[in-house]
Amino acid sequence: HVQLVESGGGSVQAGGSPKLSCAASGFTYDRYQMAWFRQAPGKGREGVASIDSDARTTYAETVKGRFTISKDNPTNTLYLQMNSLKPEDTAVYYCAAEPEFLRALRDYGSKPLNKDGYNNWGQGTQVTVS
C-alpha cells in the first residue's frame, strides 16, 4: 500500500522559494514514475513536474525554469524546489506515484503529466502566494 505525505507548503510572498517534500512508503516495485500536480480553486488538477526512475524530468511550460523536481532514492523522498513564485502558483500541491510498468500498460508512458496515469496520491499541501 503506497503512502505519500507532502509537507513544506504555506504562505509565501511573490518571488519566494519554498521547497516541497513528499515522503513515500509502501513501494512494492522497483521503478516508479513520480510527479507533482496542483489544483487551484475552481480549476482542474494540472501536472507540474514529473521524474522517472532514471531521473528524467518533465515540466509544465508554466513552471519551466522556475521549478525543479528531484528525488532521494534511499529515502524515497520527492522534492519540488519552487523559485520566483507568482500569485498564480497558488494551489494545493499533490504528490503522485505509479509503477512505470503499469503506466506503460495503460498507455501513459509518454504522458508523465497526465493525472489519469497515477493511482497513488498524497493528501496535498497548500501553497499560497501573495
Side-chain angles (χ1 to χ4, degrees), residues 81-111:
Q81 176 67 53
M82 302 187 290
N83 297 326
S84 303
L85 278 182
K86 307 173 183 180
E88 51 263 43
D89 294 317
T90 294
V92 177
Y93 283 73
Y94 297 90
C95 172
E98 189 71 5
E100 289 182 352
F101 82 95
L102 286 179
R103 287 176 42 80
L105 283 174
R106 296 169 57 214
D107 201 26
Y108 284 103
S110 61
K111 306 167 188 174

PDB file of all heavy atoms in Angstrom, residues 81-111:
ATOM      1  N   GLN A  81      11.496  22.053  -5.683  1.00  0.00           N
ATOM      2  CA  GLN A  81      12.049  23.365  -5.368  1.00  0.00           C
ATOM      3  C   GLN A  81      11.350  24.386  -6.253  1.00  0.00           C
ATOM      4  O   GLN A  81      11.401  24.294  -7.469  1.00  0.00           O
ATOM      5  CB  GLN A  81      13.559  23.395  -5.604  1.00  0.00           C
ATOM      6  CG  GLN A  81      14.181  24.755  -5.386  1.00  0.00           C
ATOM      7  CD  GLN A  81      14.121  25.196  -3.938  1.00  0.00           C
ATOM      8  OE1 GLN A  81      14.548  24.479  -3.053  1.00  0.00           O
ATOM      9  NE2 GLN A  81      13.579  26.392  -3.701  1.00  0.00           N
ATOM     10  N   MET A  82      10.701  25.330  -5.613  1.00  0.00           N
ATOM     11  CA  MET A  82       9.946  26.341  -6.347  1.00  0.00           C
ATOM     12  C   MET A  82      10.628  27.689  -6.163  1.00  0.00           C
ATOM     13  O   MET A  82      10.825  28.127  -5.028  1.00  0.00           O
ATOM     14  CB  MET A  82       8.507  26.388  -5.837  1.00  0.00           C
ATOM     15  CG  MET A  82       7.787  25.050  -5.952  1.00  0.00           C
ATOM     16  SD  MET A  82       6.033  25.150  -5.546  1.00  0.00           S
ATOM     17  CE  MET A  82       6.109  25.446  -3.807  1.00  0.00           C
ATOM     18  N   ASN A  83      10.976  28.330  -7.248  1.00  0.00           N
ATOM     19  CA  ASN A  83      11.621  29.647  -7.214  1.00  0.00           C
ATOM     20  C   ASN A  83      10.760  30.670  -7.945  1.00  0.00           C
ATOM     21  O   ASN A  83       9.923  30.314  -8.768  1.00  0.00           O
ATOM     22  CB  ASN A  83      13.008  29.580  -7.865  1.00  0.00           C
ATOM     23  CG  ASN A  83      13.948  28.656  -7.129  1.00  0.00           C
ATOM     24  OD1 ASN A  83      13.902  28.536  -5.906  1.00  0.00           O
ATOM     25  ND2 ASN A  83      14.815  27.973  -7.872  1.00  0.00           N
ATOM     26  N   SER A  84      10.996  31.921  -7.640  1.00  0.00           N
ATOM     27  CA  SER A  84      10.302  33.024  -8.319  1.00  0.00           C
ATOM     28  C   SER A  84       8.798  32.812  -8.349  1.00  0.00           C
ATOM     29  O   SER A  84       8.161  32.934  -9.398  1.00  0.00           O
ATOM     30  CB  SER A  84      10.842  33.166  -9.754  1.00  0.00           C
ATOM     31  OG  SER A  84      12.232  33.358  -9.755  1.00  0.00           O
ATOM     32  N   LEU A  85       8.248  32.503  -7.185  1.00  0.00           N
ATOM     33  CA  LEU A  85       6.824  32.209  -7.129  1.00  0.00           C
ATOM     34  C   LEU A  85       5.978  33.412  -7.523  1.00  0.00           C
ATOM     35  O   LEU A  85       6.332  34.574  -7.233  1.00  0.00           O
ATOM     36  CB  LEU A  85       6.433  31.740  -5.725  1.00  0.00           C
ATOM     37  CG  LEU A  85       6.696  30.272  -5.409  1.00  0.00           C
ATOM     38  CD1 LEU A  85       6.222  29.957  -4.005  1.00  0.00           C
ATOM     39  CD2 LEU A  85       6.033  29.355  -6.414  1.00  0.00           C
ATOM     40  N   LYS A  86       4.838  33.103  -8.159  1.00  0.00           N
ATOM     41  CA  LYS A  86       3.883  34.117  -8.592  1.00  0.00           C
ATOM     42  C   LYS A  86       2.538  33.830  -7.922  1.00  0.00           C
ATOM     43  O   LYS A  86       2.267  32.683  -7.545  1.00  0.00           O
ATOM     44  CB  LYS A  86       3.714  34.053 -10.107  1.00  0.00           C
ATOM     45  CG  LYS A  86       5.006  34.129 -10.897  1.00  0.00           C
ATOM     46  CD  LYS A  86       4.752  33.890 -12.377  1.00  0.00           C
ATOM     47  CE  LYS A  86       6.032  33.886 -13.177  1.00  0.00           C
ATOM     48  NZ  LYS A  86       5.788  33.642 -14.625  1.00  0.00           N
ATOM     49  N   PRO A  87       1.679  34.827  -7.811  1.00  0.00           N
ATOM     50  CA  PRO A  87       0.355  34.578  -7.228  1.00  0.00           C
ATOM     51  C   PRO A  87      -0.401  33.460  -7.944  1.00  0.00           C
ATOM     52  O   PRO A  87      -1.148  32.702  -7.303  1.00  0.00           O
ATOM     53  CB  PRO A  87      -0.346  35.919  -7.379  1.00  0.00           C
ATOM     54  CG  PRO A  87       0.762  36.912  -7.331  1.00  0.00           C
ATOM     55  CD  PRO A  87       1.908  36.256  -8.052  1.00  0.00           C
ATOM     56  N   GLU A  88      -0.188  33.326  -9.246  1.00  0.00           N
ATOM     57  CA  GLU A  88      -0.896  32.270  -9.990  1.00  0.00           C
ATOM     58  C   GLU A  88      -0.378  30.869  -9.687  1.00  0.00           C
ATOM     59  O   GLU A  88      -0.937  29.876 -10.156  1.00  0.00           O
ATOM     60  CB  GLU A  88      -0.834  32.537 -11.499  1.00  0.00           C
ATOM     61  CG  GLU A  88       0.547  32.799 -12.043  1.00  0.00           C
ATOM     62  CD  GLU A  88       0.844  34.293 -12.168  1.00  0.00           C
ATOM     63  OE1 GLU A  88       0.510  35.063 -11.229  1.00  0.00           O
ATOM     64  OE2 GLU A  88       1.431  34.679 -13.199  1.00  0.00           O
ATOM     65  N   ASP A  89       0.682  30.764  -8.906  1.00  0.00           N
ATOM     66  CA  ASP A  89       1.154  29.458  -8.443  1.00  0.00           C
ATOM     67  C   ASP A  89       0.379  28.982  -7.206  1.00  0.00           C
ATOM     68  O   ASP A  89       0.595  27.864  -6.734  1.00  0.00           O
ATOM     69  CB  ASP A  89       2.646  29.508  -8.111  1.00  0.00           C
ATOM     70  CG  ASP A  89       3.512  29.740  -9.329  1.00  0.00           C
ATOM     71  OD1 ASP A  89       3.254  29.121 -10.377  1.00  0.00           O
ATOM     72  OD2 ASP A  89       4.455  30.560  -9.226  1.00  0.00           O
ATOM     73  N   THR A  90      -0.497  29.832  -6.683  1.00  0.00           N
ATOM     74  CA  THR A  90      -1.301  29.452  -5.527  1.00  0.00           C
ATOM     75  C   THR A  90      -2.178  28.249  -5.859  1.00  0.00           C
ATOM     76  O   THR A  90      -2.925  28.272  -6.840  1.00  0.00           O
ATOM     77  CB  THR A  90      -2.182  30.630  -5.082  1.00  0.00           C
ATOM     78  OG1 THR A  90      -1.339  31.681  -4.603  1.00  0.00           O
ATOM     79  CG2 THR A  90      -3.146  30.213  -3.983  1.00  0.00           C
ATOM     80  N   ALA A  91      -2.066  27.212  -5.055  1.00  0.00           N
ATOM     81  CA  ALA A  91      -2.810  25.968  -5.312  1.00  0.00           C
ATOM     82  C   ALA A  91      -2.521  24.980  -4.194  1.00  0.00           C
ATOM     83  O   ALA A  91      -1.608  25.198  -3.369  1.00  0.00           O
ATOM     84  CB  ALA A  91      -2.404  25.365  -6.646  1.00  0.00           C
ATOM     85  N   VAL A  92      -3.283  23.900  -4.193  1.00  0.00           N
ATOM     86  CA  VAL A  92      -2.920  22.747  -3.383  1.00  0.00           C
ATOM     87  C   VAL A  92      -2.010  21.883  -4.250  1.00  0.00           C
ATOM     88  O   VAL A  92      -2.346  21.568  -5.392  1.00  0.00           O
ATOM     89  CB  VAL A  92      -4.150  21.942  -2.940  1.00  0.00           C
ATOM     90  CG1 VAL A  92      -3.720  20.707  -2.146  1.00  0.00           C
ATOM     91  CG2 VAL A  92      -5.078  22.818  -2.104  1.00  0.00           C
ATOM     92  N   TYR A  93      -0.862  21.529  -3.710  1.00  0.00           N
ATOM     93  CA  TYR A  93       0.120  20.738  -4.450  1.00  0.00           C
ATOM     94  C   TYR A  93       0.065  19.291  -3.974  1.00  0.00           C
ATOM     95  O   TYR A  93       0.101  19.019  -2.767  1.00  0.00           O
ATOM     96  CB  TYR A  93       1.517  21.317  -4.254  1.00  0.00           C
ATOM     97  CG  TYR A  93       1.739  22.560  -5.092  1.00  0.00           C
ATOM     98  CD1 TYR A  93       1.128  23.769  -4.749  1.00  0.00           C
ATOM     99  CD2 TYR A  93       2.524  22.531  -6.238  1.00  0.00           C
ATOM    100  CE1 TYR A  93       1.298  24.903  -5.522  1.00  0.00           C
ATOM    101  CE2 TYR A  93       2.717  23.662  -7.015  1.00  0.00           C
ATOM    102  CZ  TYR A  93       2.092  24.841  -6.659  1.00  0.00           C
ATOM    103  OH  TYR A  93       2.270  25.970  -7.434  1.00  0.00           O
ATOM    104  N   TYR A  94      -0.026  18.380  -4.931  1.00  0.00           N
ATOM    105  CA  TYR A  94      -0.155  16.954  -4.645  1.00  0.00           C
ATOM    106  C   TYR A  94       1.037  16.190  -5.207  1.00  0.00           C
ATOM    107  O   TYR A  94       1.510  16.469  -6.312  1.00  0.00           O
ATOM    108  CB  TYR A  94      -1.416  16.385  -5.284  1.00  0.00           C
ATOM    109  CG  TYR A  94      -2.706  16.968  -4.764  1.00  0.00           C
ATOM    110  CD1 TYR A  94      -3.279  18.088  -5.366  1.00  0.00           C
ATOM    111  CD2 TYR A  94      -3.363  16.394  -3.685  1.00  0.00           C
ATOM    112  CE1 TYR A  94      -4.468  18.617  -4.903  1.00  0.00           C
ATOM    113  CE2 TYR A  94      -4.562  16.920  -3.213  1.00  0.00           C
ATOM    114  CZ  TYR A  94      -5.102  18.032  -3.820  1.00  0.00           C
ATOM    115  OH  TYR A  94      -6.283  18.554  -3.352  1.00  0.00           O
ATOM    116  N   CYS A  95       1.451  15.199  -4.467  1.00  0.00           N
ATOM    117  CA  CYS A  95       2.459  14.243  -4.902  1.00  0.00           C
ATOM    118  C   CYS A  95       1.740  13.014  -5.449  1.00  0.00           C
ATOM    119  O   CYS A  95       0.705  12.601  -4.901  1.00  0.00           O
ATOM    120  CB  CYS A  95       3.335  13.889  -3.693  1.00  0.00           C
ATOM    121  SG  CYS A  95       4.514  12.568  -3.941  1.00  0.00           S
ATOM    122  N   ALA A  96       2.273  12.430  -6.522  1.00  0.00           N
ATOM    123  CA  ALA A  96       1.674  11.231  -7.112  1.00  0.00           C
ATOM    124  C   ALA A  96       2.770  10.246  -7.489  1.00  0.00           C
ATOM    125  O   ALA A  96       3.903  10.639  -7.783  1.00  0.00           O
ATOM    126  CB  ALA A  96       0.858  11.604  -8.345  1.00  0.00           C
ATOM    127  N   ALA A  97       2.405   8.973  -7.492  1.00  0.00           N
ATOM    128  CA  ALA A  97       3.369   7.929  -7.860  1.00  0.00           C
ATOM    129  C   ALA A  97       2.633   6.762  -8.503  1.00  0.00           C
ATOM    130  O   ALA A  97       1.476   6.479  -8.168  1.00  0.00           O
ATOM    131  CB  ALA A  97       4.137   7.454  -6.626  1.00  0.00           C
ATOM    132  N   GLU A  98       3.322   6.114  -9.425  1.00  0.00           N
ATOM    133  CA  GLU A  98       2.727   4.961 -10.097  1.00  0.00           C
ATOM    134  C   GLU A  98       3.850   4.086 -10.644  1.00  0.00           C
ATOM    135  O   GLU A  98       4.827   4.617 -11.201  1.00  0.00           O
ATOM    136  CB  GLU A  98       1.818   5.411 -11.228  1.00  0.00           C
ATOM    137  CG  GLU A  98       0.989   4.314 -11.867  1.00  0.00           C
ATOM    138  CD  GLU A  98      -0.137   3.809 -10.960  1.00  0.00           C
ATOM    139  OE1 GLU A  98      -0.340   4.379  -9.868  1.00  0.00           O
ATOM    140  OE2 GLU A  98      -0.790   2.831 -11.350  1.00  0.00           O
ATOM    141  N   PRO A  99       3.733   2.779 -10.548  1.00  0.00           N
ATOM    142  CA  PRO A  99       4.755   1.910 -11.142  1.00  0.00           C
ATOM    143  C   PRO A  99       4.852   2.153 -12.635  1.00  0.00           C
ATOM    144  O   PRO A  99       3.843   2.286 -13.339  1.00  0.00           O
ATOM    145  CB  PRO A  99       4.239   0.502 -10.842  1.00  0.00           C
ATOM    146  CG  PRO A  99       3.360   0.666  -9.655  1.00  0.00           C
ATOM    147  CD  PRO A  99       2.719   2.008  -9.815  1.00  0.00           C
ATOM    148  N   GLU A 100       6.059   2.223 -13.140  1.00  0.00           N
ATOM    149  CA  GLU A 100       6.245   2.548 -14.550  1.00  0.00           C
ATOM    150  C   GLU A 100       5.658   1.481 -15.469  1.00  0.00           C
ATOM    151  O   GLU A 100       5.115   1.814 -16.531  1.00  0.00           O
ATOM    152  CB  GLU A 100       7.739   2.748 -14.836  1.00  0.00           C
ATOM    153  CG  GLU A 100       8.267   4.026 -14.221  1.00  0.00           C
ATOM    154  CD  GLU A 100       9.734   4.268 -14.523  1.00  0.00           C
ATOM    155  OE1 GLU A 100      10.397   3.371 -15.088  1.00  0.00           O
ATOM    156  OE2 GLU A 100      10.224   5.357 -14.175  1.00  0.00           O
ATOM    157  N   PHE A 101       5.730   0.215 -15.091  1.00  0.00           N
ATOM    158  CA  PHE A 101       5.210  -0.808 -15.986  1.00  0.00           C
ATOM    159  C   PHE A 101       3.685  -0.722 -16.098  1.00  0.00           C
ATOM    160  O   PHE A 101       3.114  -0.984 -17.164  1.00  0.00           O
ATOM    161  CB  PHE A 101       5.650  -2.205 -15.544  1.00  0.00           C
ATOM    162  CG  PHE A 101       4.827  -2.833 -14.441  1.00  0.00           C
ATOM    163  CD1 PHE A 101       3.797  -3.695 -14.755  1.00  0.00           C
ATOM    164  CD2 PHE A 101       5.086  -2.551 -13.110  1.00  0.00           C
ATOM    165  CE1 PHE A 101       3.041  -4.286 -13.754  1.00  0.00           C
ATOM    166  CE2 PHE A 101       4.337  -3.125 -12.102  1.00  0.00           C
ATOM    167  CZ  PHE A 101       3.309  -3.992 -12.426  1.00  0.00           C
ATOM    168  N   LEU A 102       3.039  -0.316 -15.019  1.00  0.00           N
ATOM    169  CA  LEU A 102       1.580  -0.154 -15.079  1.00  0.00           C
ATOM    170  C   LEU A 102       1.209   1.040 -15.950  1.00  0.00           C
ATOM    171  O   LEU A 102       0.219   1.009 -16.689  1.00  0.00           O
ATOM    172  CB  LEU A 102       1.007   0.014 -13.672  1.00  0.00           C
ATOM    173  CG  LEU A 102       0.955  -1.252 -12.808  1.00  0.00           C
ATOM    174  CD1 LEU A 102       0.385  -0.927 -11.438  1.00  0.00           C
ATOM    175  CD2 LEU A 102       0.161  -2.354 -13.485  1.00  0.00           C
ATOM    176  N   ARG A 103       1.987   2.115 -15.853  1.00  0.00           N
ATOM    177  CA  ARG A 103       1.718   3.278 -16.689  1.00  0.00           C
ATOM    178  C   ARG A 103       1.879   2.919 -18.162  1.00  0.00           C
ATOM    179  O   ARG A 103       1.100   3.348 -19.010  1.00  0.00           O
ATOM    180  CB  ARG A 103       2.667   4.416 -16.316  1.00  0.00           C
ATOM    181  CG  ARG A 103       2.330   5.069 -14.973  1.00  0.00           C
ATOM    182  CD  ARG A 103       3.351   6.134 -14.592  1.00  0.00           C
ATOM    183  NE  ARG A 103       3.738   6.957 -15.718  1.00  0.00           N
ATOM    184  CZ  ARG A 103       3.019   7.969 -16.181  1.00  0.00           C
ATOM    185  NH1 ARG A 103       1.880   8.282 -15.593  1.00  0.00           N
ATOM    186  NH2 ARG A 103       3.448   8.666 -17.203  1.00  0.00           N
ATOM    187  N   ALA A 104       2.895   2.101 -18.460  1.00  0.00           N
ATOM    188  CA  ALA A 104       3.126   1.697 -19.849  1.00  0.00           C
ATOM    189  C   ALA A 104       1.982   0.809 -20.340  1.00  0.00           C
ATOM    190  O   ALA A 104       1.508   0.977 -21.479  1.00  0.00           O
ATOM    191  CB  ALA A 104       4.455   0.969 -19.956  1.00  0.00           C
ATOM    192  N   LEU A 105       1.536  -0.113 -19.510  1.00  0.00           N
ATOM    193  CA  LEU A 105       0.441  -0.998 -19.894  1.00  0.00           C
ATOM    194  C   LEU A 105      -0.830  -0.223 -20.207  1.00  0.00           C
ATOM    195  O   LEU A 105      -1.616  -0.603 -21.073  1.00  0.00           O
ATOM    196  CB  LEU A 105       0.162  -2.009 -18.773  1.00  0.00           C
ATOM    197  CG  LEU A 105       1.140  -3.176 -18.639  1.00  0.00           C
ATOM    198  CD1 LEU A 105       0.823  -3.991 -17.399  1.00  0.00           C
ATOM    199  CD2 LEU A 105       1.097  -4.063 -19.880  1.00  0.00           C
ATOM    200  N   ARG A 106      -1.027   0.868 -19.470  1.00  0.00           N
ATOM    201  CA  ARG A 106      -2.226   1.682 -19.645  1.00  0.00           C
ATOM    202  C   ARG A 106      -2.000   2.819 -20.639  1.00  0.00           C
ATOM    203  O   ARG A 106      -2.831   3.716 -20.750  1.00  0.00           O
ATOM    204  CB  ARG A 106      -2.660   2.225 -18.282  1.00  0.00           C
ATOM    205  CG  ARG A 106      -3.085   1.125 -17.303  1.00  0.00           C
ATOM    206  CD  ARG A 106      -3.243   1.687 -15.902  1.00  0.00           C
ATOM    207  NE  ARG A 106      -4.204   2.770 -15.873  1.00  0.00           N
ATOM    208  CZ  ARG A 106      -4.119   3.830 -15.078  1.00  0.00           C
ATOM    209  NH1 ARG A 106      -3.103   3.943 -14.229  1.00  0.00           N
ATOM    210  NH2 ARG A 106      -5.040   4.770 -15.108  1.00  0.00           N
ATOM    211  N   ASP A 107      -0.860   2.785 -21.328  1.00  0.00           N
ATOM    212  CA  ASP A 107      -0.542   3.749 -22.384  1.00  0.00           C
ATOM    213  C   ASP A 107      -0.355   5.168 -21.852  1.00  0.00           C
ATOM    214  O   ASP A 107      -0.682   6.151 -22.534  1.00  0.00           O
ATOM    215  CB  ASP A 107      -1.630   3.741 -23.459  1.00  0.00           C
ATOM    216  CG  ASP A 107      -1.118   4.320 -24.778  1.00  0.00           C
ATOM    217  OD1 ASP A 107       0.099   4.254 -25.023  1.00  0.00           O
ATOM    218  OD2 ASP A 107      -1.932   4.886 -25.535  1.00  0.00           O
ATOM    219  N   TYR A 108       0.195   5.274 -20.654  1.00  0.00           N
ATOM    220  CA  TYR A 108       0.513   6.599 -20.109  1.00  0.00           C
ATOM    221  C   TYR A 108       2.021   6.832 -20.042  1.00  0.00           C
ATOM    222  O   TYR A 108       2.466   7.817 -19.464  1.00  0.00           O
ATOM    223  CB  TYR A 108      -0.091   6.759 -18.709  1.00  0.00           C
ATOM    224  CG  TYR A 108      -1.573   7.008 -18.730  1.00  0.00           C
ATOM    225  CD1 TYR A 108      -2.471   5.988 -18.430  1.00  0.00           C
ATOM    226  CD2 TYR A 108      -2.085   8.249 -19.072  1.00  0.00           C
ATOM    227  CE1 TYR A 108      -3.830   6.200 -18.463  1.00  0.00           C
ATOM    228  CE2 TYR A 108      -3.450   8.478 -19.098  1.00  0.00           C
ATOM    229  CZ  TYR A 108      -4.316   7.440 -18.798  1.00  0.00           C
ATOM    230  OH  TYR A 108      -5.659   7.670 -18.837  1.00  0.00           O
ATOM    231  N   GLY A 109       2.768   5.928 -20.639  1.00  0.00           N
ATOM    232  CA  GLY A 109       4.220   6.029 -20.540  1.00  0.00           C
ATOM    233  C   GLY A 109       4.782   7.323 -21.088  1.00  0.00           C
ATOM    234  O   GLY A 109       5.774   7.851 -20.589  1.00  0.00           O
ATOM    235  N   SER A 110       4.141   7.868 -22.133  1.00  0.00           N
ATOM    236  CA  SER A 110       4.627   9.097 -22.755  1.00  0.00           C
ATOM    237  C   SER A 110       3.870  10.322 -22.275  1.00  0.00           C
ATOM    238  O   SER A 110       3.984  11.408 -22.851  1.00  0.00           O
ATOM    239  CB  SER A 110       4.507   8.990 -24.270  1.00  0.00           C
ATOM    240  OG  SER A 110       3.154   8.819 -24.629  1.00  0.00           O
ATOM    241  N   LYS A 111       3.077  10.149 -21.213  1.00  0.00           N
ATOM    242  CA  LYS A 111       2.250  11.249 -20.710  1.00  0.00           C
ATOM    243  C   LYS A 111       2.533  11.456 -19.216  1.00  0.00           C
ATOM    244  O   LYS A 111       1.653  11.239 -18.370  1.00  0.00           O
ATOM    245  CB  LYS A 111       0.774  10.930 -20.935  1.00  0.00           C
ATOM    246  CG  LYS A 111       0.442  10.597 -22.377  1.00  0.00           C
ATOM    247  CD  LYS A 111      -0.941   9.981 -22.497  1.00  0.00           C
ATOM    248  CE  LYS A 111      -1.205   9.477 -23.912  1.00  0.00           C
ATOM    249  NZ  LYS A 111      -2.481   8.756 -24.028  1.00  0.00           N
TER     250      LYS A 111
END
